[in-house]
Structures are given as structure tokens and as C-alpha cells.
């Protein structure tokens, strides 16, 4: 209805009652709404404001406007109902106007509302040297959808992958590698030696001291080190020292100070761990058709930063990519962490507590924001503070959002509060876009979250692979033609398998916990990704059938007056509601609003097809009706396709 408001308002403005009340289209439009019940009509006009201006009662205004009503092309009838005027639309006209809009706009529902505004969106942000976990699927999918949705509304969206590539854990990892795999230290030492002997000149390409190690193996080393630490507390100290050496090293690099051989070694081990993690993440992101580019490029071993590029880079760069700006960036770049710490100290916001430097954001009883640990290392919060400041300086965000699980609520409450305490009013424009857990079915039938401790780790890639495998099997079984074309079949299996997982994730409000139930997710009917894609494909086949039957592809000239079924009217209304749903999904960071709209649309389409079983969509005996119906089919398909794309799901033409 939203999209018809302009037309309705224009028509009403010409009626004598509205002219007398000095209501022009601009004044009428915001007073139009949707009736609470379908039986009441298709739209309502609220009489309170015009009545007040005319000095009469709203009910009297409604009666007056109804009395002077004359039917127009779009509005068929008007009846006073208390302070409201209930309007009935001319279905054919409303359907025709709706279809024309869908056909005219390249992307129906897109708007320019956000022109000139920037959203800085933190999403995905996995930790290096660890396998991706399932919650990373959620932040990646929700974030990716939010990015696309906001962009559809004209926003510039700067997607940032706040890679977890820094922290005391890496000290333990390095200590563990040195302890359990001395050859790695040996190799790193050789590389570092050669570098120092060449007076700091870098070799063309340094080998990786980690060789062909996998992320999973790094994680094993880390876990084993933690295990042994329990019996031997001295190891904890060793880890701490390794991290201090690493942190001093990148600060020294940044300040062009002297580096030490130990720093060079640790830096090489860390950097290699980072590189091999990124290579593994890349495979996962590719499945989702997501691209992260490096915000700063490492030119051989020197780092070249794209400083100032936030304002200089063309908008397309932000649309086509998101960027890795890992936590290490804020330690090793322009002393960004150092400046936050300094500022917090001089302003008196930070306090010493048990040898650490902290900010009490929620009173002295709640854990404070940690700026410097007692051993002098930076903390998760330090780097988040530095990154918030950097983002605001570089991108000047209208909004800054963090797509991170609900478990980190306190972390973000504290972060925003600390920013405020440090005098940054724009902290009010920051939000934590939180989400619920992904639950898995246990042997005893209950649902529980994946947890490392209980041995229920679910590795993300396995999960996506499993989905793709399952779809591959279905294709073999059900569509021999497609299966015979290996490449095409593979592409479909991926799109449908990954799309199944994605849709399952996005169809419920993001704050809900999500049950990961294979039977549900991969079902080809119901509220699932495969079903949505299947409908999309079917609508393509219907169009194809029309084309073959009538040797015609001019369905856009189909006559809306032929669409007289209630089901057709219902579908047209759902289509007309799509832009408003999209705008709301954008504003509320809630992709599920789009998923819900698509579910409704697919369900309405399916009942329409059932209702037309006798006359059919493509009916050889009635070319005119067929053309009108195929026109509607194509409008639905376009909306469904656009919606799925905005959710980050790849479309397929066959399946
Ligand atoms: N690396 C963290 C994790 O995997 C998420 C980081 C979220 N973003 C942030 N700016 N803190 O849980």
C-alpha cells in the first residue's frame, strides 16, 4: 500500500471535500495508513488533524469527506468509520500501478533515503589461529545482509572485519610453538637473522616459519599449552613474555625504533599464523560470495597503509568489499592504542587498579574496562576503543554498528559508556547489533549450544560442506539432466546448500536462538531456503512455458484487469508492501523482516497456484489471461529474487 500512497493522495486531493479542507497531496499522504483489518478496506485516512484545523469533530470530518466522495481511477469507495475514512481501492488499477513500479525499477524497493549517510559496520570478525566457530556464521550472515540492505537504501556501508589477531593468547601460542615445535623457532630465527644481516632490508618474499601447518594444528598447540599451564604455572609467565616481546616489536616498527632478534622471531611466527588463517577464512567467505580486502596492504614486509582512504575511496570500493582491519592494526599503527591510553590518563577518566589501568564505567562493583593489564599489555577493550576512534575519524559514521553475539553485551555497553566518558558524544550513534545462539540437537533430544568444553565443537566449514553434500545428493536423485552437467550441478548445490543454512539463520528475529535442524533446513518445502529458491526456479519455468506456448515475451503488457482472483489481489498487496518491509529491515538491522516478507509471498503464490489449478497460469485457451498472470509471476519472481539477494543468497535458474 505504501507505494500507492502518492497516487491515492493525488486523487483524494482533487475531491471537493479535500479541497475545502485545504488538503493537498503532501498533507494527505502522511495521514494515510493501513486498516487494522482487511475487511475494513485497503487504506484509511485519519481525520484528526484536518478536523482540528477546520474546528470540527474528527467524526464529522469523516462524514463530510465521505459525503463528497466521488470514485476515481484508484479509489473506488470511501466510508466514514468514526474518525477515519475507510477507502477501497480499484483492484485492477492498484495491481497495474504496483506491477508497473516493480517493472520500472531495476531493484524494486531500493531508495535514496540514506544518501550521504555512512554506516560503519563491524561484522564477522573471527579470531585467527582458531577454526571459525558457528557464531561466526551468524555474525557473517547477519552482517552481510545488513550491509546489502542498508546499501539498497542509499547508505554507504563500510564493512569492517575486526579480525581477532592480537591479544595475550598469541603469546601463549608462540610459547607453545617454541616448546612443542622447536623447529619453528629455528626457522623463524634464520629468517630473522637474514633480515637483520641485510641491515633491515627485506628479502623478496620471506618463507613462512610455519610451513604447511593448518589452523586446526595451531589451535591444538594452543590448547595443549593451556592444558600444561595448569600443572606448570611458570608457562603462563612465558606466554606473557612472548606477547610483550611481540607487542613491543610492532610498536617499535611503528615508531621506526630499534627491533630485537626476539621481536623479529615472534613477529614472524605471528604473521605467518595470521596469513594461514586468512587463507583458510577465504575459503569460507568464498562460499558465501563475500570479499574482504586488506585495509592496509603489506608491501613485502613493510606495511603500506591506506591512511585517509576512508574519505578518498570511491563509494563502489565500499559496496563491493568489506575490509580486514584487525586488532593488531591499532597497536602497530600511529600508536592508536597508546593515544587512547594517554588520553584516558590525562583526562582522569582512567584509574590505577591492582597494577592495571582501567575505566570504571558501571561503578566500582562491576568489572571495569581494561586499558592496560598489570603486565603492560593492551586488552580487547583498549583495541576496541582505539578502533572506534579510528573509524569515526576515518569514515565519519552516521551510525556505527557491531554485529556480535549477545554474550558480549556487557563488553559493548562498557565500550560505548567509556567513549562517552572520554568525551565522544557520537558514542550515542553506536549500537550493538546482538544476536542469539545457534543450538544443536543433542543425543538426548534436547537443544544446546556448540561448546568446545563439552566436545561439541561444530566447525563451520564442515557444516556448510554437509549442506552442500546433501543438496548434491538430492540433485543426483531428482534431476538427472542437471546432475549430468557437473559444473552447473556443483554451482546449484553450493547455492542451495549454503542458501539453506543462510535462510535458516535469517528467517527468525536475530535475537532469537536458532535451532539447527538438518531436516528442517534442507526441506524443499516449508519456510526454507531451498523452498524459496525452488519457487524462484518454478516461476522461471512458468515464464518459459508461456514463451513457448504463445511465442510471446511481452507479458509486461498483460492486462491487470484480468487478475480478478482474491489470491491475485493478495499477492499484489504483499508486493506493494515489500519496499516498506525493506526500509524497516534496514532501520532495525533486522534481515528477518525481509525473510518473513518472502515467506508470505511464497506461501501466497503457492495458494494462488493451487486456486488456479483448473484454469492454470499458462492456459492455451486464454492468451490474455495467461499474459496477465505471467506478468504477475514475473513481478513476484523479481521481488523474491531481490529479497534473497539482499539476504546474501545466490540465485539459481535450475535445480
Ligand atoms: N573476535 C571476536 C569474536 O570472535 C569478535 C569481535 C567483535 N568486534 C569487536 N569490535 N569487538 O568473538
Amino acid at each position: 500500500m505504501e507505494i500507492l500512497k502518492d497516487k491515492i493522495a493525488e486523487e483524494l486531493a482533487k475531491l471537493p471535500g479535500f479541497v475545502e479542507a485545504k488538503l493537498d497531496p503532501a498533507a494527505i499522504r502522511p495521514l494515510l495508513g493501513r486498516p487494522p483489518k482487511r475487511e475494513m478496506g485497503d487504506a484509511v485516512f485519519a481525520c484528526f488533524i484536518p478536523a482540528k484545523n477546520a474546528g470540527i469533530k474528527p467524526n464529522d470530518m469523516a462524514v463530510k469527506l465521505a459525503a463528497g466522495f466521488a470514485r476515481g481511477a484508484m479509489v473506488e469507495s470511501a466510508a466514514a468509520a468514526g474518525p477515519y475514512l475507510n477507502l477501497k481501492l480499484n483492484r485492477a488499477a492498484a495491481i497495474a500501478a504496483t506491477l508497473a513500479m516493480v517493472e520500472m525499477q531495476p531493484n524494486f524497493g531500493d531508495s535514496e533515503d540514506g544518501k550521504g549517510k555512512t554506516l560503519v559496520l563491524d561484522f564477522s570478525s573471527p579470531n585467527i589461529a582458531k577454526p571459525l566457530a558457528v557464531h561466526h556464521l551468524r555474525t557473517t550472515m547477519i552482517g552481510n545482509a545488513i550491509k546489502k540492505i542498508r546499501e539498497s537504501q542509499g547508505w554507504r556501508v563500510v564493512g569492517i572485519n575486526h579480525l581477532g589477531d592480537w591479544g595475550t593468547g598469541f603469546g601463549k601460542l608462540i610459547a607453545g610453538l617454541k616448546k612443542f615445535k622447536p623447529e619453528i623457532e629455528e626457522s623463524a630465527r634464520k629468517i630473522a637473522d637474514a633480515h637483520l644481516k641485510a641491515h633491515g632490508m627485506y628479502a623478496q618474499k620471506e618463507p613462512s616459519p610455519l610451513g604447511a601447518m593448518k589452523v586446526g594444528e595451531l589451535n591444538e598447540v594452543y590448547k595443549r599449552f593451556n592444558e600444561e599451564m595448569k600443572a606448570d604455572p611458570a608457562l603462563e609467565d612465558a606466554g606473557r613474555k612472548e606477547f610483550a616481546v611481540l607487542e613491543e616489536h610492532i610498536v617499535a616498527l611503528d615508531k621506526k625504533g630499534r627491533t630485537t632478534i626476539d621481536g623479529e622471531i615472534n613477529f614472524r611466527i605471528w604473521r605467518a599464523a595470521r596469513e594461514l588463517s586468512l587463507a583458510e577464512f577465504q575459503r569460507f567467505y568464498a562460499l558465501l560470495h563475500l570479499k574482504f580486502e586488506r585495509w592496509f596492504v603489506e608491501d613485502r614486509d613493510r606495511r603500506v597503509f591506506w591512511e585517509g582512504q576512508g574519505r578518498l575511496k570511491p563509494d563502489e570500493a565500499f559496496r563491493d568489499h568489506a575490509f580486514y582491519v584487525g586488532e593488531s592494526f591499532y597497536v602497530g599503527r600511529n600508536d592508536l592504542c597508546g593515544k587512547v591510553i594517554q588520553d584516558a590518563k590525562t583526562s582522569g577518566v582512567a584509574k590505577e587498579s591492582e597494577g592495571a589501568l582501567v575505566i570504571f564505567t558501571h561503578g566500582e562493583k562491576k568489572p571495569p574496562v581494561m586499558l592496560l593489564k598489570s603486565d603492560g599489555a593492551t586488552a580487547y577493550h583498549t583495541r576496541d576503543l582505539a578502533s572506534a576512534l579510528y573509524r569515526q575519524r576515518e569514515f565519519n559514521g552516521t551510525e556505527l554498528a557491531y554485529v556480535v553475539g549477545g554474550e558480549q553485551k556487557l563488553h559493548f555497553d562498557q565500550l560505548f559508556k567509556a567513549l562517552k566518558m572520554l568525551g565522544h558524544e557520537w558514542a550515542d550513534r553506536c549500537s550493538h547489533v546482538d544476536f542469539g545462539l545457534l543450538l544443536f540437537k543433542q543425543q538426548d533430544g534436547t537443544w544446546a549450544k556448540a561448546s568446545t568444553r563439552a566436545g561439541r565443537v561444530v566447525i563451520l566449514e564442515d557444516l556448510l560442506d554437509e549442506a552442500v553434500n546433501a543438496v548434491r545428493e538430492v540433485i543426483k536423485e531428482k534431476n538427472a539432466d542437471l546432475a549430468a552437467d557437473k559444473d552447473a550441478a556443483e554451482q546449484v548445490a553450493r547455492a542451495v546448500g549454503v542458501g539453506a543454512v543462510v535462510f535458516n539463520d535469517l528467517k527468525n528475529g536475530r535475537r532469537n536462538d536458532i535451532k539447527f535442524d538438518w531436516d528442517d533446513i534442507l526441506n524443499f518445502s516449508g519456510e526454507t531456503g531451498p523452498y524459496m529458491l525452488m519457487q524462484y526456479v518454478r516461476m522461471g519455468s512458468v515464464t518459459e512455458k508461456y514463451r513457448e506456448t504463445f511465442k510471446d515475451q511481452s507479458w509486461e503488457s498483460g492486462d491487470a484487469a484480468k487478475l480478478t482472483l482474491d489470491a491475485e489481489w493478495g499477492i499484489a498487496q504483499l508486493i506493494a508492501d515489500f519496499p516498506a518491509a525493506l526500509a524497516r529491515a534496514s532501520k532495525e538491522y533486522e534481515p528477518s523482516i525481509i525473510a518473513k516478507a518472502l515467506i508470505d509471498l511464497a506461501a501466497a503464490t503457492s495458494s494462488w497456484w493451487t486456486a488456479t489449478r483448473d484454469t492454470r497460469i499458462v492456459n492455451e485457451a486464454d492468451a490474455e489471461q495467461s499474459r496477465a498472470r505471467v506478468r504477475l509471476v514475473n513481478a513476484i519472481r523479481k521481488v523474491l529474487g531481490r529479497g534473497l539477494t539482499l539476504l546474501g543468497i545466490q540465485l539459481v535458474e535450475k535445480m
Side-chain angles (χ1 to χ4, degrees), residues 155-418:
W155 286 66
R156 175 177 79 143
V157 181
V158 180
I160 292 183
N161 191 325
H162 190 72
L163 202 61
D165 65 357
W166 208 249
T168 35
F170 295 103
K172 289 187 203 163
L173 176 66
I174 291 169
L177 285 165
K178 287 183 177 175
K179 185 166 159 56
F180 308 132
K181 298 186 182 284
E183 67 281 8
I184 287 176
E185 182 175 4
E186 227 18 71
S187 159
R189 183 180 300 279
K190 276 202 195 114
I191 300 165
D193 260 343
H195 166 72
L196 290 179
K197 283 219 184 73
H199 306 288
M201 293 291 283
Y202 287 91
Q204 270 298 332
K205 189 167 180 10
E206 288 191 345
S208 158
L210 295 176
M213 258 182 119
K214 294 263 180 315
V215 168
E217 294 167 80
L218 289 177
N219 194 36
E220 285 312 314
V221 167
Y222 178 73
K223 287 201 292 206
R224 181 168 159 206
F225 189 82
N226 271 303
E227 216 31 66
E228 295 195 5
M229 217 167 69
K230 284 182 199 150
D232 182 359
L235 291 182
E236 184 156 8
D237 244 12
R240 230 189 281 275
K241 283 211 187 80
E242 298 294 4
F243 182 66
V245 168
L246 179 63
E247 198 153 55
E248 275 159 26
H249 181 80
I250 67 164
V251 171
L253 277 183
D254 179 36
K255 295 185 169 157
K256 307 217 164 37
R258 279 177 71 94
T259 62
T260 64
I261 180 73
D262 289 330
E264 298 283 355
I265 291 171
N266 285 8
F267 177 64
R268 277 168 181 74
I269 296 175
W270 166 80
R271 193 181 54 189
R274 187 177 192 273
E275 285 309 313
L276 74 90
S277 304
L278 287 185
E280 280 192 26
F281 296 166
Q282 207 50 47
R283 293 214 305 273
F284 158 69
Y285 291 134
L287 271 176
L288 301 169
H289 289 260
L290 234 160
K291 269 200 220 134
F292 286 102
E293 200 179 317
R294 296 178 193 224
W295 181 243
F296 54 96
V297 272
E298 291 180 23
D299 170 14
R300 288 196 223 131
D301 297 338
R302 258 163 301 120
R303 286 187 264 172
V304 179
F305 295 89
W306 298 7
E307 193 75 74
Q309 293 290 296
R311 292 175 205 271
L312 294 179
K313 274 179 103 62
D315 283 2
E316 298 80 68
F318 294 103
R319 200 179 51 221
D320 300 337
H321 298 95
F323 293 90
Y324 283 121
V325 196
E327 295 191 35
S328 62
F329 180 83
Y330 306 100
V331 180
R333 177 60 190 155
N334 274 342
D335 199 19
L336 291 163
C337 278
K339 284 189 186 121
V340 169
I341 293 163
Q342 201 47 52
D343 186 35
K345 266 193 199 157
T346 40
S347 62
V349 172
K351 307 228 155 34
E352 294 267 350
S353 170
E354 295 167 34
L357 187 69
V358 302
I359 303 177
F360 286 100
T361 51
H362 289 65
E364 308 249 331
K365 295 219 168 62
K366 285 264 166 65
V369 161
M370 181 69 69
L371 285 177
L372 275 179
K373 298 188 180 179
S374 52
D375 58 11
T378 61
Y380 185 38
H381 260 137
T382 325
R383 298 183 295 270
D384 252 329
L385 281 167
S387 84
L389 292 166
Y390 179 78
R391 290 171 192 184
Q392 190 49 17
R393 194 187 73 204
E394 185 84 357
F395 306 112
N396 191 20
T398 318
E399 290 179 25
L400 296 94
Y402 296 78
V403 186
V404 185
E407 322 86 81
Q408 294 198 29
K409 181 170 188 319
L410 179 62
H411 173 81
F412 287 104
D413 283 353
Q414 290 183 310
L415 174 63
F416 304 154
K417 184 84 183 286

Side-chain angles (χ1 to χ4, degrees), residues 401-461:
Y402 296 78
V403 186
V404 185
E407 322 86 81
Q408 294 198 29
K409 181 170 188 319
L410 179 62
H411 173 81
F412 287 104
D413 283 353
Q414 290 183 310
L415 174 63
F416 304 154
K417 184 84 183 286
L419 283 170
K420 266 300 246 293
M421 290 169 73
L422 290 167
H424 305 294
E425 287 306 315
W426 49 263
D428 288 337
R429 306 205 298 268
C430 293
S431 47
H432 175 200
V433 177
D434 58 340
F435 54 83
L437 301 169
L438 205 49
L439 304 177
F440 293 84
K441 202 174 207 155
Q442 306 306 296
Q443 239 118 45
D444 63 3
T446 57
W447 295 86
K449 73 174 204 169
S451 111
T452 335
R453 224 168 298 143
R456 288 194 305 264
V457 237
V458 182
I459 309 286
L460 201 44
E461 267 189 65

Side-chain angles (χ1 to χ4, degrees), residues 13-264:
K14 294 200 189 104
L15 295 168
F18 285 81
V19 173
E20 191 189 325
K22 298 209 174 54
L23 289 161
D24 63 6
I28 296 171
R29 200 183 188 286
L31 304 179
L32 288 169
R34 175 204 287 286
K37 286 195 191 126
R38 278 256 152 109
E39 309 85 83
M40 294 174 162
D42 305 314
V44 290
F45 177 78
C47 299
F48 303 98
I49 294 173
K52 192 168 171 225
N53 292 341
I56 60 174
K57 291 204 181 93
N59 291 28
D60 295 340
M61 180 55 105
V63 170
K64 205 168 152 196
L65 291 176
F69 179 82
R71 66 181 292 178
M74 181 64 74
V75 190
E76 198 153 83
S77 70
Y84 292 97
L85 197 60
N86 286 351
L87 307 174
K88 256 181 111 83
L89 301 184
N90 177 312
R91 285 189 180 188
I95 295 175
T98 303
L99 295 181
M101 270 186 253
V102 176
E103 289 156 1
M104 225 164 55
Q105 297 173 14
N107 288 315
F108 181 62
D110 279 15
S111 92
E112 294 283 298
D113 256 22
K115 218 179 152 88
K117 294 182 192 158
T118 295
L119 166 66
V120 183
L121 186 70
D122 181 313
F123 75 110
S124 199
S125 312
N127 302 319
I128 65 162
K130 273 190 195 171
L132 293 164
V134 284
H135 69 270
H136 293 121
L137 179 72
R138 296 219 68 199
T139 159
T140 306
M141 291 323 312
I142 296 170
N144 187 33
I146 288 174
K147 182 165 185 290
K148 292 190 153 76
I149 292 167
R150 273 288 161 112
E151 283 165 346
S152 81
Q153 303 301 294
W155 286 66
R156 175 177 79 143
V157 181
V158 180
I160 292 183
N161 191 325
H162 190 72
L163 202 61
D165 65 357
W166 208 249
T168 35
F170 295 103
K172 289 187 203 163
L173 176 66
I174 291 169
L177 285 165
K178 287 183 177 175
K179 185 166 159 56
F180 308 132
K181 298 186 182 284
E183 67 281 8
I184 287 176
E185 182 175 4
E186 227 18 71
S187 159
R189 183 180 300 279
K190 276 202 195 114
I191 300 165
D193 260 343
H195 166 72
L196 290 179
K197 283 219 184 73
H199 306 288
M201 293 291 283
Y202 287 91
Q204 270 298 332
K205 189 167 180 10
E206 288 191 345
S208 158
L210 295 176
M213 258 182 119
K214 294 263 180 315
V215 168
E217 294 167 80
L218 289 177
N219 194 36
E220 285 312 314
V221 167
Y222 178 73
K223 287 201 292 206
R224 181 168 159 206
F225 189 82
N226 271 303
E227 216 31 66
E228 295 195 5
M229 217 167 69
K230 284 182 199 150
D232 182 359
L235 291 182
E236 184 156 8
D237 244 12
R240 230 189 281 275
K241 283 211 187 80
E242 298 294 4
F243 182 66
V245 168
L246 179 63
E247 198 153 55
E248 275 159 26
H249 181 80
I250 67 164
V251 171
L253 277 183
D254 179 36
K255 295 185 169 157
K256 307 217 164 37
R258 279 177 71 94
T259 62
T260 64
I261 180 73
D262 289 330
E264 298 283 355

